[in-house]
Amino acid sequence: MNNHHFDNPDLILSHGHSNNGVSSWQSPSNIALIKYWGKSTGQIPKNPSISMTLSEAHTYTTVKYQPRGSQDEWIKFTFEGAEAPSFAARIEKFLGSLSSIFPFLKELSLAISSENSFPHSSGIASSASSMSALALCLCDIERALFGTLSDDSAFLAKASFISRLGSGSACRSVYPHLALWGKYGPLDESSDYYAVPWQGQEVFNSFHDDVVIVSGEKKSVSSSAGHALMDTNPFAATRYQQAQDNMTSILECMQTGDLMRWGEIVEDEAMTLHALMMCSHPSYILMKPGTLICIDRIRAFRQETGLPLFFTLDAGPNVHILYPDSIADKAQDFIKSEIMPLAENGRIIPDQVGIGAKQMV
Ligand code: DP6
């Protein structure tokens, strides 16, 4: 496979086609356990990653399409009911780059509207949910117009492939529970081009991820710029090998249900991600004092109670607290009393592993 695998010059409209329609999808965000950090040209990851699919944090996207007259605008985009020129430009560029995969797109006029379930300033990354929701709509339009992609797993593989081109981590959002992206030797079906679903012990299908908003400020380094820093990071080769090794260990833990070892690996990945940023050139410190206090308190709680409550981090200061549903009451008491005071305006966004993207219309 390569980046041209889904090129298809036959997907053009003929006069007999019924060319009006609408597609709506809701697609969730995801939280990486083994992190994707570093990529090659063509949005190819330097190492495999695995994530939990969330449920509450999602994007809802609707694409209305009709034949495009010569005077018609190609794309009209609204975000939460208003025009959003910077997002619109990114979407137009993205759709323009898909012309060999979906040649019919240029023949249509597209009205795209999108909204997130989470607040814009929450520091929750929206590219995974928004790019996957859009990719699902595009594949759905192909299916409606050409009768292709009738097989569900082929549909999701293509949607994952298209999502990746929009934002790497987005390709993991289309599947329920757990998704693995990037070539990982022992798993034949794994691919650098799209994610595949992965099934662990039942306990991982209802895990909690409560996001502590330590700061809702805009990120000081975009993920694309962050990935690029890995090209000159002196520890890059060691890191890519570590990710492979951590993948082997974490998959084992998710098969056996060894939560304590699992959490150790998840925290190791979060710390490594931030350590890599600190020793990049230029260097970034994306944690805030509140992030460190949260981490200390989470570790102290675990030490005192022996309960499997862990943290992970994205490329930002907010802390994701992970715990199995079986300890939800105790975990939430702890979060309320010891973590809430550290959150900006007391903001903690509770989330849980979910079943993946859903078609709405
Ligand atoms: C730290 O997927 O946002 O969240 O491919 O450039 O869009 P682009 O990057 P993006 O990077 C996500 C990085 C991460 C780790 C992860 O989700 O695996």
Side-chain angles (χ1 to χ4, degrees):
M1 181 174 269
N2 58 35
N3 260 339
H4 298 290
H5 181 80
F6 287 108
D7 286 4
N8 188 349
D10 296 337
L11 298 179
I12 44 169
L13 300 169
S14 64
H15 287 305
H17 272 107
S18 138
N19 300 338
N20 288 297
V22 56
S23 171
S24 282
W25 281 78
Q26 178 179 303
S27 189
S29 182
N30 67 75
I31 181 69
L33 306 171
I34 303 291
K35 307 290 181 183
Y36 149 56
W37 198 241
K39 62 178 170 181
S40 315
T41 317
Q43 204 82 314
I44 301 300
K46 293 282 194 181
N47 63 261
S49 57
I50 190 164
S51 58
M52 284 177 153
T53 302
L54 299 176
S55 50
E56 296 307 314
H58 57 249
T59 299
Y60 182 84
T61 295
T62 296
V63 181
K64 289 190 184 138
Y65 54 97
Q66 60 180 45
R68 182 180 175 194
S70 57
Q71 305 298 311
D72 290 347
E73 218 178 348
W74 182 32
I75 293 164
K76 234 182 111 177
F77 177 75
T78 53
F79 179 67
E80 295 180 348
E83 292 198 2
S86 65
F87 287 153
R90 181 169 177 193
I91 285 183
E92 188 149 347
K93 187 164 168 231
F94 174 52
L95 295 188
S97 75
L98 301 178
S99 59
S100 51
I101 300 175
F102 298 125
F104 61 89
L105 283 181
K106 286 269 161 69
E107 302 174 278
L108 299 171
S109 206
L110 306 166
I112 306 175
S113 57
S114 199
E115 55 196 71
N116 291 341
S117 64
F118 46 92
H120 188 51
S121 64
S122 65
I124 293 186
S126 62
S127 68
S129 55
S130 60
M131 284 299 168
S132 55
L134 179 59
L136 286 153
C137 290
L138 299 178
C139 291
D140 190 34
I141 295 172
E142 177 192 318
R143 182 164 65 180
L145 292 175
F146 300 94
T148 49
L149 303 174
S150 53
D151 173 76
D152 280 351
S153 63
F155 178 86
L156 290 176
K158 182 160 182 178
S160 178
F161 181 100
I162 304 296
S163 305
R164 172 184 61 85
L165 296 173
S167 175
S169 57
C171 74
R172 298 183 310 234
S173 274
V174 303
Y175 296 107
H177 310 138
L178 295 159
L180 187 153
W181 168 44
K183 194 64 205 160
Y184 170 63
L187 195 70
D188 282 347
E189 64 268 37
S190 64
S191 168
D192 282 342
Y193 295 94
Y194 52 81
V196 293
W198 203 85
Q199 188 62 50
Q201 291 270 336
E202 193 63 32
V203 63
F204 296 103
N205 295 349
S206 58
F207 237 76
H208 289 253
D209 172 10
D210 293 350
V211 191
V212 184
I213 309 302
V214 173
S215 164
E217 264 174 39
K218 203 177 164 316
K219 290 200 249 175
S220 56
V221 56
S222 71
S223 359
S224 280
H227 289 288
L229 293 173
M230 284 302 280
D231 296 343
T232 53
N233 189 297
F235 301 105
T238 314
R239 157 60 192 160
Y240 301 141
Q241 183 56 47
Q242 177 205 31
Q244 296 278 349
D245 298 343
N246 277 348
M247 183 64 86
T248 302
S249 307
I250 208 168
L251 295 186
E252 246 169 54
C253 293
M254 291 197 288
Q255 266 156 350
T256 60
D258 184 345
L259 286 185
M260 286 303 179
R261 173 89 186 102
W262 178 86
E264 224 174 90
I265 302 162
V266 169
E267 293 191 354
D268 181 41
E269 281 286 314
M271 290 307 228
T272 299
L273 173 69
H274 282 258
L276 287 165
M277 277 182 282
M278 286 186 216
C279 66
S280 289
H281 304 279
S283 141
Y284 290 95
I285 302 178
L286 298 187
M287 294 191 214
K288 300 274 187 211
T291 315
L292 296 172
I293 303 171
C294 272
I295 291 175
D296 265 357
R297 291 190 183 172
I298 288 166
R299 288 183 165 173
F301 174 80
R302 195 162 69 232
Q303 187 99 37
E304 281 157 25
T305 62
L307 294 173
L309 180 131
F310 309 97
F311 70 86
T312 188
L313 306 164
D314 258 341
N318 300 329
V319 180
H320 291 245
I321 305 187
L322 305 174
Y323 53 91
D325 194 43
S326 57
I327 67 157
D329 287 348
K330 288 195 178 100
Q332 286 158 12
D333 285 348
F334 157 72
I335 291 170
K336 207 166 161 201
S337 63
E338 295 205 41
I339 301 292
M340 188 104 83
L342 301 168
E344 192 174 74
N345 304 320
R347 235 176 353 149
I348 295 184
I349 302 184
D351 212 330
Q352 204 164 353
V353 170
I355 54 165
K358 274 200 291 223
Q359 178 157 27
M360 309 304 279
V361 178

